[in-house]
C-alpha cells in the first residue's frame, strides 16, 4: 500500500494498515454501533423488564468498541486490548448462546449474543474467530 | 413500509452485493460503474427513508418510534459511508466494503419493516 511509508508512527500490525483489516474494522464497527445502540434503547426505555439481558447488551457493546479500537491501533497495547476483548466475545457468545437456548426464562429479551447471534445472521459467532485469527496472523515474529 | 419500494431496495441491494463480491473475488478495485451503482442504491434508499418519514406524520406511527427513527438515520447514512470508505480503499477490499454495505442494507430495511409492523396502539 502506498501510504505505508508515511505512517511510520502506526504499528505494523495495525488493522488500519491493510485493506482486509479495514473491512474487518468496518464489520466490527457496525457491531459496536448496533450492540451499543440496542443497549442504550433497552436500558433507557424498559430497563426493569430484563436487567440482566440489557446489562449484557451494554457489556457486549463496550467489548465490540474495545475490540475495534484494539485491532485498529495494533502494537503491544492494541494487541492486548484486542486479544482480551475478542476472547470475552468468544466466551460471551458461547455462554450466552447456550444459556439462552437452555434457560430461556433468564433471557426474556434478546441480546446480540442470544441464540449464538442468530438474530444477526450468526455474525457475532464468527467475528471473534476472525478477530483472533487476525491477532494470531499478525503476531510479532 | 411494506410496499414494493422496500422489496425493490432489498432485491437491488442483494444483486449489487453479489456483483461486488464477484469483483472482490476477481481482485478488482471498485470501478466508476461500481461506485455509481452504489450511488443509485443510495438514491433508492433515500426515497424509501423519505416515504417512511412522511409516514411518521401520518396516522400509523410504529410503537417503538425512537428505535424506528434511529434505524432510519442508520439506513440513510449507510450506503454513502460505504462509498466514502470504498473510495479511500482503491483495491479489491474497496469492492468488499461496497459488498458489505450492500449486504447490510437489506437487513436494515427488514428491521425497519419489523418495527413498523407493530403500530402505536
Amino acid at each position: 500500500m502506498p501510504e505505508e511509508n508515511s505512517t511510520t508512527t502506526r504499528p505494523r500490525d495495525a488493522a488500519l494498515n491493510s485493506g482486509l483489516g479495514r473491512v474487518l474494522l468496518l464489520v466490527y464497527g457496525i457491531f459496536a454501533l448496533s450492540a451499543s445502540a440496542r443497549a442504550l434503547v433497552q436500558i433507557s426505555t424498559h430497563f426493569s423488564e430484563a436487567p440482566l439481558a440489557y446489562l449484557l447488551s451494554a457489556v457486549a457493546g463496550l467489548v465490540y468498541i474495545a475490540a475495534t479500537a484494539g485491532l485498529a491501533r495494533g502494537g503491544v497495547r492494541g494487541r492486548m486490548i484486542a486479544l482480551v476483548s475478542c476472547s470475552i466475545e468468544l466466551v460471551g457468545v458461547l455462554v450466552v448462546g447456550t444459556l439462552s437456548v437452555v434457560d430461556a426464562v433468564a433471557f426474556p429479551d434478546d441480546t446480540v449474543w442470544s441464540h449464538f447471534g442468530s438474530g444477526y445472521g450468526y455474525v457475532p459467532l464468527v467475528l471473534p474467530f476472525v478477530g483472533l485469527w487476525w491477532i494470531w496472523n499478525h503476531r510479532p515474529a | 413500509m411494506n410496499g414494493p419500494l422496500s422489496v425493490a431496495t432489498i432485491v437491488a441491494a442483494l444483486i449489487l452485493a453479489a456483483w461486488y463480491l464477484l469483483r472482490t473475488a476477481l481482485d478488482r478495485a471498485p470501478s466508476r460503474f461500481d461506485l455509481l451503482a452504489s450511488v443509485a442504491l443510495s438514491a433508492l434508499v433515500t426515497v424509501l427513508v423519505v416515504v417512511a418519514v412522511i409516514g411518521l406524520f401520518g396516522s400509523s406511527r410504529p410503537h417503538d418510534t425512537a428505535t424506528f427513527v434511529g434505524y432510519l438515520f442508520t439506513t440513510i447514512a449507510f450506503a454513502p459511508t460505504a462509498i466514502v470508505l470504498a473510495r479511500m480503499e482503491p483495491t479489491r477490499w474497496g469492492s468488499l466494503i461496497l459488498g458489505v454495505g450492500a449486504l447490510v442494507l437489506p437487513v436494515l430495511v427488514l428491521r425497519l419493516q419489523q418495527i413498523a409492523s407493530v403500530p402505536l396502539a
Side-chain angles (χ1 to χ4, degrees):
Chain A
M1 231 145 303
E3 70 264 41
E4 228 162 36
N5 295 328
S6 61
T7 55
T8 44
T9 51
R10 192 186 283 157
R12 276 182 54 238
D13 60 346
L16 267 178
N17 277 350
S18 77
L20 181 59
R22 287 171 190 165
V23 178
L24 180 63
L25 289 177
L26 174 69
V27 177
Y28 256 100
I30 293 169
F31 273 85
L33 180 75
S34 55
S36 327
R38 170 172 220 161
L40 202 66
V41 170
Q42 287 174 332
I43 289 177
S44 60
T45 59
H46 42 272
F47 180 64
S48 55
E49 281 175 27
L52 176 64
Y54 298 158
L55 282 178
L56 216 60
S57 281
V59 170
L62 291 176
V63 168
Y64 280 115
I65 293 172
T68 311
L71 286 170
R73 278 188 47 135
V76 176
R77 227 162 108 209
R79 283 176 61 82
M80 188 48 78
I81 295 171
L83 182 63
V84 170
S85 45
C86 286
S87 307
I88 296 176
E89 255 173 66
L90 183 59
V91 174
V93 75
L94 292 178
V95 170
V96 174
T98 311
L99 282 180
S100 62
V101 172
V102 176
D103 183 10
V105 185
F107 291 93
D109 206 352
D110 278 347
T111 71
V112 261
W113 289 335
S114 301
H115 303 280
F116 302 104
S118 66
Y120 292 81
Y122 294 102
V123 177
L125 183 59
V126 179
L127 218 43
F129 287 104
V130 179
L132 289 172
W133 165 81
W134 178 272
I135 298 167
W136 174 253
N137 212 27
H138 292 78
R139 65 192 183 280
Chain B
M1 201 62 227
N2 289 300
L5 195 55
S6 305
V7 178
T9 310
I10 291 172
V11 171
L14 289 178
I15 292 172
L16 274 181
W19 169 251
Y20 292 138
L21 293 184
L22 180 71
R23 298 276 295 170
T24 308
L26 294 176
D27 199 3
R28 300 291 163 82
S31 65
R32 196 170 167 74
F33 170 81
D34 294 345
L35 290 167
L36 283 177
S38 270
V39 171
L41 182 63
S42 309
L44 196 57
V45 170
T46 306
V47 174
L48 183 75
V49 170
V50 168
V51 170
V53 169
I54 293 171
L56 278 179
F57 294 100
S59 51
S60 61
R61 287 173 69 163
H63 173 69
D64 203 348
T65 310
T67 309
F68 190 73
V69 172
Y71 267 98
L72 284 180
F73 275 113
T74 314
T75 306
I76 201 167
F78 209 84
T81 308
I83 292 170
V84 169
L85 291 176
R87 288 193 52 150
M88 288 162 67
E89 183 63 35
T91 65
R92 70 191 305 184
W93 307 118
S95 298
L96 188 56
I97 288 175
L98 291 178
V100 170
L103 275 179
V104 174
L105 266 176
V107 179
L108 290 171
V109 174
L110 284 175
R111 277 293 289 155
L112 279 170
Q113 289 183 332
Q114 252 180 26
I115 301 167
S117 68
V118 185
L120 198 64

